[in-house]
Amino acid sequence: RELVGQLLQKEPADRPTVASLLEKHPFFNPKMSASTEDQFRDMKESLQNISIQVEILNGNVLEVKKLSIESKEELFHTRNVLRRTRHVLLKGIFEATEVYTPTTFIILN
């Protein structure tokens, strides 16, 4: 009520500034016991550590994404090379055996 009353003063000169309220008013700066301050400090440190870990994970995710894009491009290139190689090999076998009718080859590993 006190804060609202101060903010609703008729004369602008009588109203507190935002900076002074944020700095001094008990609503924005509550008094804490020593144990509460310790808990607050511990929570703040934990939050900072979590933020650092999130930044590291974001960097790792971006690196994995970059590597997966590179791998995908390499896979497409390798697939095209293998298709051309297979075509050349089958053409060579077909021509070497002087077979004029196409046949099917099954390659077992």
Side-chain angles (χ1 to χ4, degrees), residues 9-103:
Q9 291 293 322
K10 198 172 199 178
E11 293 296 321
D14 295 339
R15 293 182 208 141
T17 64
V18 174
S20 69
L21 285 175
L22 290 174
E23 188 177 311
K24 297 178 183 176
H25 196 275
F27 181 80
F28 299 107
N29 296 301
K31 303 247 188 249
M32 292 188 267
S33 66
S35 64
T36 306
E37 286 185 23
D38 291 340
Q39 289 175 343
F40 184 72
R41 192 177 323 104
D42 291 343
M43 288 171 49
K44 189 175 180 181
E45 288 174 7
S46 295
L47 183 60
Q48 288 173 342
N49 290 336
I50 290 170
S51 296
I52 291 169
Q53 290 173 354
V54 166
E55 288 179 24
I56 291 169
L57 288 174
N58 282 340
N60 290 343
V61 166
L62 291 175
E63 189 64 29
V64 167
K65 184 178 178 182
K66 178 182 158 192
L67 290 173
S68 67
I69 290 170
E70 290 173 2
S71 295
K72 187 176 180 181
E73 291 170 354
E74 188 175 317
L75 177 66
F76 286 134
H77 175 72
T78 303
R79 187 182 297 163
N80 289 337
V81 169
L82 288 174
R83 281 184 183 151
R84 282 182 285 182
T85 303
R86 183 176 135 239
H87 176 74
V88 169
L89 284 173
L90 290 175
K91 183 178 176 185
I93 291 170
F94 183 75
E95 290 174 355
T97 57
E98 297 181 12
V99 175
Y100 297 103
T101 305
T103 57

